[in-house]
Amino acid sequence: MRRRAKVAVVGAGAAGLVAARELLREGHASVSVFEKSGRVGGTWAYDPRADADPLGRHDPDSPGGAVHGSLYASLRTNLPRELMGFSGFPMAGGRVFAGDPRTFPGHREVLAFLDAFAEESGVLTHVRLRTEVLRVRPLGNEQGERWVVAWRGEDGEVAEEVFDAVVVCNGHCTVPLVPKIRGIDKWRGKQMHSHNYRVPEPFRESNVVVVGLGASGIDIAREISYVAKEVHIAARYSEDRLGKIERYQNVWLHAEIDCIQDDGRVKFAEGSAVAADTILYCTGYRYHFPFLDLDGLTVDDNRVGPLYRHVFPPKYAPNLSFVGLPSKTVIFPSFELESKWVAAVLSGRVTLPSEEVMMAAVREDYRRMEEAARPKRHTHALWPEWVEYVNWLADQVGEPHLDARLCDMYERALKCIWSLDDRYRDRWEEEEKVHNGGDSAVSSVLGINLPEHRIA
């Protein structure tokens, strides 16, 4: 007999929606998805507003919350549509959801895709909108065999409900991660986190230092370069590419910021210094679970742990789980496979190892990271081992491994992002044809070779 659990899902973004679908498919008929905002879509729901504090240093637990979304107006996906769908509900294949058929569509197309997915999968009827989860705690015992969820509805009233299991899918692109810069107290210019970036106009005729060379840092630096006087990108792992970027008239790449000098200039680790009007941090986000207060589960330097394979805390498994923590992977397929695993474990179709075995596996993962000198904050960044993780999940639930062509497509997309060539999205289909007809076309066209540490 399979177990039919009563399950609470926290968050109705992409992870929460596919988690709910897989729970329902597995036979867990009582599934409730709690969503604080007034619609589904999570981080893909564009919000033109920004936090009052440009750095987003608000109290994220304050009543009413702060601005959740971190999308900028022009954002397009940095992965092609073929890597953005769910099984049985692809984003590619000819169907257009919001009038944007491009291979790398804008955020409105992704949101419309998620709306359609929620509706057509039957998940939408299980979503409780404008319902904020305030606290999740185990009922009556420390092992979490049942869970109490306290939530506040639109009317302001607080209620509690008991569930057999809770799946946490609240995302991790809301609470900014701002690095500490030596001498920042000497800075008299503006500071801002990309969480609050929407359009380039405020940077017109400015000298801007962009901190970070991830996907958002590259996109935003490119966009503001069309209106700014100068853009200086500060990034780790940039030693072999320092100096003027040929593709742009006014963009330079530097090593990371060393300090703010006494004269207020921004000094970089390679020794150069510039006068700037704004420091714009494209430095990512903190994992944040304000509703969880559990012994033995922490967020330390952006490591959520201990977690077995990024999903189950051994002490509270299987009735507490997380879907959507890993980055540097094919995000939507990863969400789906994690969800299938959670649903199957809760039904009893798949069995987890003992708590002791799971803890030993976690300790081994941490040991290997330390041995490889990987920072703790990269615990949930899967590249370059992302394929192994996705295929391991597939093995747990009897699904086929990720198609080799899709793996290749993802790796080439990463190389395109790192190339700093903003035209790759619109040249993709042409280069895809060349690639499929011969050698590694995109790499040869862009003339790049991506070492492991560039993305990790």
Side-chain angles (χ1 to χ4, degrees), residues 130-143:
R130 299 183 179 87
T131 305
E132 179 183 7
V133 172
L134 302 176
R135 191 177 182 203
V136 172
R137 61 179 175 84
L139 173 66
N141 65 79
E142 293 184 356
Q143 297 302 313

Side-chain angles (χ1 to χ4, degrees), residues 33 102 181 190 196 388:
V33 184
R102 294 175 295 179
I181 296 176
K190 298 178 181 177
N196 285 312
E388 289 85 343

Side-chain angles (χ1 to χ4, degrees), residues 7 22 46 70 107 114 122 145 160 166 183 194 235 237 242 270 307 341 398-399 407 450:
V7 187
E22 297 308 323
Y46 175 72
S70 298
H107 55 81
L114 293 174
E145 292 179 5
E160 288 191 346
V166 176
S194 59
Y237 316 129
L242 298 178
E270 83 277 5
L307 288 181
W341 187 31
E399 293 287 329
C407 297
L450 186 63

Side-chain angles (χ1 to χ4, degrees), residues 212-376:
L213 199 59
S216 63
I218 293 170
D219 263 2
I220 292 171
R222 169 193 57 79
E223 184 167 82
I224 64 177
S225 73
Y226 297 129
V227 301
K229 285 182 183 177
E230 296 180 358
V231 177
H232 297 268
I233 303 173
R236 296 188 181 98
Y237 316 129
S238 56
E239 296 86 349
D240 58 340
R241 308 178 71 183
L242 298 178
K244 178 75 168 53
I245 298 176
E246 292 183 4
R247 290 187 178 93
Y248 303 97
Q249 293 183 349
N250 59 345
V251 182
W252 288 260
L253 185 59
H254 301 266
E256 59 188 321
I257 294 177
D258 176 61
C259 67
I260 306 299
Q261 297 181 159
D262 290 339
D263 62 2
R265 290 161 63 88
V266 180
K267 181 182 178 183
F268 302 98
E270 83 277 5
S272 64
V274 299
D277 303 295
T278 303
I279 298 176
L280 175 54
Y281 300 96
C282 299
T283 46
Y285 298 87
R286 292 194 289 119
Y287 294 99
H288 188 61
F289 312 102
F291 47 85
L292 290 179
D293 183 14
L294 302 171
D295 292 336
L297 185 69
T298 62
V299 181
D300 179 18
D301 193 15
N302 242 19
R303 168 185 283 172
V304 184
L307 288 181
Y308 178 61
R309 305 301 283 172
H310 307 281
V311 174
F312 288 104
K315 179 176 179 178
Y316 300 105
N319 296 335
L320 179 67
S321 58
F322 295 77
V323 168
L325 296 191
S327 61
K328 304 296 188 294
T329 182
V330 281
I331 298 297
F332 281 21
S334 181
F335 289 170
E336 179 174 344
L337 286 168
E338 288 178 343
S339 299
K340 288 179 182 291
W341 187 31
V342 168
V345 168
L346 288 177
S347 74
R349 182 165 62 89
V350 173
T351 304
L352 289 176
S354 68
E355 180 179 345
E356 293 74 21
V357 170
M358 287 190 284
M359 277 303 307
V362 172
R363 287 191 292 268
E364 175 60 17
D365 287 342
Y366 293 170
R367 186 198 64 78
R368 288 191 294 106
M369 280 192 69
E370 188 173 350
E371 190 175 79
R374 290 191 64 195
K376 184 183 292 186

Side-chain angles (χ1 to χ4, degrees), residues 400-421:
H401 284 188
L402 198 62
D403 184 88
R405 186 180 67 86
L406 298 182
C407 297
D408 175 69
M409 187 180 293
Y410 177 74
E411 293 286 338
R412 289 188 291 117
L414 291 184
K415 292 178 180 179
C416 288
I417 294 168
W418 180 250
S419 76
L420 305 180
D421 184 354

